[in-house]
Amino acid sequence: MDICCAHMKAVFDEARAALISLRANAGEKEEGREFLLTPQEFPEYDISQARWFGNVFLTVSRGGETRSMDTGSSADIRRIRKEDGRIEVVYEGESANEYGISGIWLAVKYEYGRDGIVFGIAAKNPSQETIVLERLGIPLLMNQYFRGDDTYKYDHCVLRHTCITGHHSFLYWAASSGSMPILYVQALGDTPLLHFSCETDDPVFGRRGSMKGTFEGSFLVYPVHEDTKYSHLDCSDSRVVLEPGGEKEFRFFLGMASGYEEMEQGLVKNGGIALKALPGMCVPAGEEVVLLIRSGEMPEILMKEEGDELCRIGEKNGVYTAKLKFHGYGIRNVWLMKGGTKMQLRFFALEQPGEILRKQAEFIADKQYETDESDPCYHGLLMWDMTVRHRVNSSCNPFGPDWFAGGSDEIGLTGGLFLSAWNVYRLDEKQIRVLDGYVRDFLEARLTEQPGSRVHRMVPWFTMFEPWAGHGADDVWRAFNYVHVINTFYHMYLISSKYSYSFLAEPVYYLKRACEYLDAMFTLWMFPDGVGATKFGNMGELILALRLEEALRKEGLIREAGRVNAIVREKAEYFGSREYPYGSEMAYDSTAFEAVYAYGRATENRRVMEMSCRVACANRGKQPVWYLYGTDLRQMGDSSWNVSYMTQLGAFPIYDWLLGRGEAYQELWKDEKAAAEIAGL
């Protein structure tokens, strides 16, 4: 049965008693993007305990007995009622199935009109004794199975962005390419969302991960959930007690929006609260954060942590404003109270960013620098294990494989990269001496095979497993490692140019070494199938694409500059020739966006630049949750592995494009500009 709204078309399947399709209403001749995984494409998910939209999972206690049950297992007691603009699926009686509904009356409702669909779940106690609804879970099996095909990854599949705040919670999904529209699900009225789970280990609905397909597992949200150590919110009082004849209803709105601004208007129209925090959800303690509130009325604001301060509230251009200050560190809870509802916000107060970076640099130089001459990684800047409070080296590696202690890859090379970048701008002689030892004694003498500047994946060297052996590369196949080493040498060039230390080499030495590593990166066999350097965007290639050639020409190294120019243009032309120019070694991975943007800028390819910026913005999201606000989602969704590579790297294309180059792109961020003007920023 088709459900048609002005901007959305859904399909209700009577056999499954659930929605099996949600699309943008693109018109009669064209189907819009599918936002759900469908039973037609994924028949392995079409089982009795299915996760189609409208299936409900619940845990009920009665008379000292607790049972878990779900609607998918309850077809034997199911009745469907249909009338104009309304579908109601009723579960009444005692199911004979193991997980069938028993001892509680349940109805799942769909009310649809022009604007969207109101989705409701009503529970009633038909017995003569008290029952307790301990947990209520709603699966959201959206189209987040990232297939290996680029068209699926970027324009068919969608990314989820979650804002669980108790009352006024919402989630939204949009194509990972950044193209519109947006599907959003909003908790209405006194319905809260308190928790989520991702069934990563489920044998049917669990995680999948490979080059050809990536799926994080079925995702569920909970308007009723017990308080656990994993809870993000206070849900200690969320259990629903139903006396004989008592009932409770939970209601949600499904809407389709043409952009972020329209989605926020929809949230407010439905009685919700739309928020922006400037400069963000993570702010230095003692500094003002401006909270912009769009709501039918100004909510009461409660600062929950001792000493935190509500400085001022006001209204401008139809938007309520509140200025807050946090006078402690860590998670700071702020509650917005409105009409009996409680929206629980969490900010994070931190030290000044400059102070954090200074301490990080000191820690790397003091704690992560290997000083044991007998260690194979002598003078490496090694990973630090916070559990055992020791750097991971040949004598202390309790948790990881051998290469964890080898000083290479992202976990081993980024410490030196950070320290070298910091000292370009914040001179510390002790740290520069550490860098000198790191470059000479570790990068050049141990990690690199000379001649040829072949960067191994760890120290001491070892032969990689098949299919790497026999390609003349063995364990020197990882392009990311070369980029980190190139960037470190480029920073050493800048340091040597700015500061006169006799123990450092001449500036041109470091620049020439960067070029030698660049040649190795683009001439060795690379992962996968030899294309790791040439056809994938590697994190950190900004320097390679935009800065290295200029430095070489400045130093009179014209031949080397020409070599860099040829590499950059060849790789930029490859990205420019692709419909979807970004990609990395995973089915869905955000590490490439910054690099692809940089190559686009190097050749002034505005299409590549704009597409890279759009996908970075779509990845980062706008929901006001501190650990998700402006961070990247790597591989699958926002339930894990956030605040990753692109949290920092993804800021560059956004910053560069919006400030100087993105006339055609300003539309996407006009709401942010308006918000900044209201906040006086």
Side-chain angles (χ1 to χ4, degrees):
M1 175 182 175
D2 289 348
I3 298 174
C4 293
C5 308
H7 305 294
M8 179 169 58
K9 180 179 179 180
V11 176
F12 176 80
D13 184 275
E14 293 192 29
R16 298 174 177 88
L19 301 182
I20 60 167
S21 176
L22 268 173
R23 293 180 179 270
N25 195 349
E28 295 181 2
K29 296 183 179 180
E30 179 185 357
E31 283 193 308
R33 177 178 298 111
E34 177 61 75
F35 281 84
L36 299 181
L37 295 183
T38 67
Q40 291 78 19
E41 186 178 3
F42 292 89
E44 64 269 31
Y45 294 156
D46 203 18
I47 62 176
S48 60
Q49 291 187 292
R51 273 69 166 163
W52 310 125
F53 196 107
N55 293 141
V56 177
F57 289 74
L58 58 160
T59 302
V60 176
S61 296
R62 182 178 64 174
E65 180 186 1
T66 300
R67 283 197 60 212
S68 293
M69 53 192 84
D70 65 88
T71 57
S73 301
S74 309
D76 56 334
I77 60 167
R78 176 193 297 153
R79 290 182 294 111
I80 299 176
R81 304 169 181 167
K82 294 182 291 184
E83 55 188 74
D84 287 347
R86 181 182 175 90
I87 301 171
E88 186 174 73
V89 185
V90 177
Y91 300 87
E92 185 173 20
E94 302 292 317
S95 173
N97 300 320
E98 180 182 3
Y99 294 104
I101 289 175
S102 174
I104 190 170
W105 179 94
L106 198 75
V108 179
K109 307 173 183 179
Y110 307 85
E111 300 175 26
Y112 49 96
R114 175 178 173 77
D115 292 340
I117 300 172
V118 175
F119 170 67
I121 303 167
K124 184 187 298 183
N125 181 0
S127 72
Q128 297 304 308
E129 58 182 319
T130 300
I131 64 174
V132 179
L133 187 57
E134 304 275 358
R135 181 185 301 192
L136 181 70
I138 303 167
L140 298 172
L141 195 65
M142 300 302 186
N143 192 359
Q144 289 185 252
Y145 200 117
F146 290 96
R147 296 75 149 177
D149 178 79
D150 279 350
T151 302
Y152 268 100
K153 282 192 290 188
Y154 294 108
D155 265 325
H156 289 224
C157 295
V158 293
L159 289 173
R160 179 186 64 250
H161 296 281
T162 306
C163 182
I164 291 181
T165 57
H167 298 117
H168 307 291
S169 296
F170 69 95
L171 301 92
Y172 75 89
W173 295 261
S176 59
S177 66
S179 62
M180 296 291 116
I182 294 169
L183 172 73
Y184 64 99
V185 174
Q186 174 187 6
L188 297 176
D190 64 352
T191 296
L193 285 180
L194 298 166
H195 214 318
F196 72 82
S197 69
C198 191
E199 299 178 297
T200 55
D201 298 324
D202 187 273
V204 177
F205 295 96
R207 184 189 300 267
R208 306 283 187 271
S210 70
M211 283 290 295
K212 295 184 178 180
T214 302
F215 179 58
E216 67 166 345
S218 174
F219 183 83
L220 293 90
V221 291
Y222 298 89
V224 181
H225 198 286
E226 73 268 31
D227 209 359
T228 74
K229 67 178 181 179
Y230 301 109
S231 299
H232 295 276
L233 305 174
D234 171 23
C235 49
S236 56
D237 59 350
S238 74
R239 298 189 317 158
V240 175
V241 178
L242 295 175
E243 301 295 343
E247 59 184 297
K248 173 69 175 177
E249 184 169 4
F250 307 90
R251 300 174 73 245
F252 303 87
F253 180 79
L254 281 68
M256 198 75 71
S258 62
Y260 300 109
E261 177 73 11
E262 187 175 302
M263 178 181 71
E264 290 191 359
Q265 291 172 356
L267 296 176
V268 175
K269 181 179 179 181
N270 293 323
I273 298 174
L275 297 172
K276 285 186 174 65
L278 300 174
M281 299 298 289
C282 295
V283 293
E287 290 194 3
E288 273 192 355
V289 55
V290 181
L291 192 61
L292 305 180
I293 305 165
R294 297 174 66 177
S295 172
E297 61 185 86
M298 177 64 180
E300 179 186 2
I301 300 175
L302 300 180
M303 310 295 288
K304 298 299 294 182
E305 313 304 326
E306 185 177 356
D308 288 351
E309 184 180 0
L310 173 59
C311 302
R312 186 167 71 253
I313 59 175
E315 187 271 337
K316 184 176 181 180
N317 296 345
V319 178
Y320 298 109
T321 62
K323 294 192 175 181
L324 319 176
K325 279 187 182 180
F326 304 112
H327 295 289
Y329 296 115
I331 292 173
R332 317 302 290 182
N333 291 290
V334 178
W335 289 2
L336 273 62
M337 315 292 287
K338 172 187 171 184
T341 64
K342 178 175 68 177
M343 186 180 196
Q344 303 180 49
L345 295 181
R346 279 186 158 185
F347 290 83
F348 196 92
L350 60 156
E351 292 181 272
Q352 288 290 334
E355 186 66 7
I356 294 172
L357 296 174
R358 182 189 65 78
K359 290 181 178 180
Q360 179 69 15
E362 289 180 354
F363 188 92
I364 291 171
D366 291 343
K367 301 292 187 182
Q368 296 178 235
Y369 190 48
E370 183 55 67
T371 55
D372 182 356
E373 293 187 31
S374 67
D375 192 285
C377 290
Y378 176 60
H379 278 178
L381 289 164
L382 306 180
M383 181 172 64
W384 180 266
D385 191 290
M386 296 176 67
T387 304
V388 299
R389 296 176 180 270
H390 199 279
R391 59 182 168 270
V392 178
N393 57 18
S394 61
S395 60
C396 180
N397 185 12
F399 304 111
D402 288 346
W403 67 271
F404 271 40
S408 189
D409 220 86
E410 292 94 300
I411 60 174
L413 288 170
T414 50
L417 179 58
F418 170 84
L419 195 63
S420 65
W422 174 255
N423 273 273
V424 171
Y425 305 101
R426 298 290 189 273
L427 170 66
D428 185 294
E429 182 177 345
K430 176 185 174 183
Q431 293 173 18
I432 292 177
R433 288 186 179 276
V434 166
L435 285 167
D436 178 54
Y438 171 68
V439 168
R440 286 188 294 102
D441 299 333
F442 179 73
L443 289 184
E444 293 186 310
R446 286 171 168 77
L447 189 64
T448 303
E449 182 181 352
Q450 304 290 1
S453 300
R454 297 151 64 96
V455 177
H456 287 262
R457 200 181 179 200
M458 65 168 282
V459 175
W461 301 344
F462 69 108
T463 302
M464 288 295 292
F465 49 83
E466 293 293 347
W468 317 111
H471 287 281
D474 296 335
D475 71 321
V476 295
W477 51 267
R478 191 162 172 80
F480 281 0
N481 292 343
Y482 290 87
V483 178
H484 295 331
V485 172
I486 291 165
N487 290 349
T488 300
F489 273 91
Y490 175 76
H491 292 149
M492 292 302 294
Y493 157 72
L494 295 178
I495 290 170
S496 182
S497 298
K498 292 177 71 172
Y499 311 116
S500 299
Y501 287 113
S502 59
F503 58 86
L504 291 179
E506 291 297 315
V508 72
Y509 171 81
Y510 299 110
L511 203 53
K512 285 183 175 180
R513 293 295 285 135
C515 287
E516 290 167 9
Y517 283 109
L518 176 68
D519 277 331
M521 173 181 167
F522 281 89
T523 55
L524 293 181
W525 186 87
M526 284 290 166
F527 166 86
D529 301 326
V531 299
T534 58
K535 295 185 178 180
F536 285 166
N538 298 290
M539 55 186 167
E541 283 191 86
L542 162 66
I543 288 175
L544 190 162
L546 296 178
R547 297 175 183 167
L548 197 53
E549 180 188 351
E550 180 183 356
L552 290 164
R553 293 193 183 280
K554 178 182 176 182
E555 298 296 339
L557 301 173
I558 305 304
R559 182 181 64 83
E560 291 85 347
R563 168 71 173 146
V564 172
N565 179 273
I567 288 173
V568 169
R569 292 199 167 274
E570 181 179 359
K571 191 163 183 176
E573 287 172 7
Y574 170 76
F575 289 141
S577 70
R578 294 176 58 82
E579 182 178 2
Y580 301 92
Y582 18 75
S584 186
E585 88 275 27
M586 295 182 180
Y588 183 79
D589 188 357
S590 61
T591 58
F593 305 155
E594 169 252 9
V596 173
Y597 179 89
Y599 282 105
R601 177 175 157 180
T603 54
E604 287 298 328
N605 188 322
R606 294 181 63 82
R607 184 189 74 88
V608 169
M609 294 166 71
E610 182 172 352
M611 289 185 71
S612 300
C613 194
R614 281 185 179 275
V615 76
C617 290
N619 188 282
R620 291 161 74 92
K622 295 190 176 186
Q623 69 278 33
V625 179
W626 76 262
Y627 52 90
L628 297 174
Y629 197 65
T631 71
D632 66 315
L633 316 180
R634 187 157 187 251
Q635 285 203 62
M636 305 172 201
D638 67 356
S639 59
S640 65
W641 206 344
N642 306 307
V643 197
S644 183
Y645 304 114
M646 283 294 289
T647 301
Q648 297 81 18
L649 297 176
F652 167 70
I654 295 171
Y655 179 86
D656 185 75
W657 181 255
L658 295 181
L659 287 189
R661 300 166 184 273
E663 298 86 357
Y665 192 57
Q666 298 294 340
E667 181 71 15
L668 261 180
W669 286 76
K670 67 179 182 180
D671 56 326
E672 303 295 330
K673 292 176 67 177
E677 290 171 3
I678 291 170
L681 300 177

